[in-house]
Amino acid sequence: DETGSTNTDLLLAASEGAQDRTVLVARHQTAGRGRLDRRWDAPAGSNLLVSLLFRVVPEDPHVLTQRVGLAAIAACEAVAGVRPTLKWPNDLLLGGRKLAGILAQAQLGAVPAVVVGIGLNVGWAPEEGALLGEGVDPLDVLAALLTAYDALPGDVWSLYRANLGTLGHRVRVDLPDGEVVGRAVDVQPDGRLVVVDDCTITHRFAVGDVVHLR
């Protein structure tokens, strides 16, 4: 019903032996966080707040985030008749506005685990955000997401690339030591975003905060 963070709870459960593909969903989070420690909050029961535990971790763990994002796109289309796009590295956009954020956290050790959390605006969104609609049940979205996840192919790179709305956009990549402005032209199989700057220099980013420029 309520917890601080489903990601935090599921990481703890992983350390205590929780099984692969355990799913934890909450009606309300009091300490939800996104990337860069940004707060993620919503009125109780309005949105989908869920984390998934993976013990079978691929060589490139970012693939799990891509798979959850693709499953979320399919779920939105199945339940609400809309099709969001992906914004590198881990957001879903609808009509250019943020619909969902995805955060992956890893637990290292003898038995590694990755927890992928997603907060998706279903019945409520902040002023600048997008939502699916007040008549949509977050648990219906979750059921569709899990079904879609199971239906994904083994290799999702081409599907991820096809749904990555960042490609073709003029972008600003904010980094700890500065920024790069250019056009996003590709994403590599290892998840790195390829950006050609205004001096035609090619950059490849494994991490970074991307802003779509008009």
Side-chain angles (χ1 to χ4, degrees), residues 15-135:
S15 70
E16 297 173 345
Q19 295 183 358
D20 178 47
R21 295 165 64 90
T22 296
V23 177
L24 178 63
V25 61
R27 294 184 69 254
H28 183 57
Q29 288 187 133
T30 59
R33 288 289 184 271
R35 286 187 69 248
L36 305 179
D37 206 33
R38 293 168 177 147
R39 183 171 177 80
W40 183 274
D41 200 7
S46 60
N47 291 342
L48 177 61
L49 308 169
V50 64
S51 297
L52 300 87
L53 169 63
F54 299 99
R55 289 200 176 278
V56 180
V57 180
E59 183 177 351
D60 290 321
H62 72 273
V63 171
L64 295 172
T65 303
Q66 294 178 356
R67 296 178 75 88
V68 171
L70 289 168
I73 288 175
C76 291
E77 188 170 33
V79 175
V82 298
R83 189 169 183 87
T85 59
L86 294 165
K87 173 178 174 285
W88 191 91
N90 62 351
D91 288 343
L92 269 70
L93 302 182
L94 186 61
R97 297 186 296 165
K98 184 170 179 175
L99 177 70
I102 302 173
L103 177 65
Q105 295 176 274
Q107 181 183 87
L108 303 178
V111 183
V114 172
V115 170
V116 181
I118 179 169
L120 193 152
N121 300 333
V122 178
W124 177 90
E127 185 176 350
E128 69 279 8
L131 53 78
L132 292 186
E134 295 182 359

Side-chain angles (χ1 to χ4, degrees), residues 161-185:
R161 188 179 185 279
N163 284 276
L164 187 59
T166 299
L167 298 186
H169 264 281
R170 185 169 171 78
V171 299
R172 185 182 75 240
V173 184
D174 293 329
L175 303 164
D177 57 352
E179 65 180 37
V180 172
V181 176
R183 188 164 300 279
V185 297

Side-chain angles (χ1 to χ4, degrees), residues 1-10 24-32 49:
D1 188 59
E2 180 177 294
T3 190
S5 162
T6 54
N7 262 30
T8 299
D9 290 352
L10 208 48
L24 178 63
V25 61
R27 294 184 69 254
H28 183 57
Q29 288 187 133
T30 59
L49 308 169

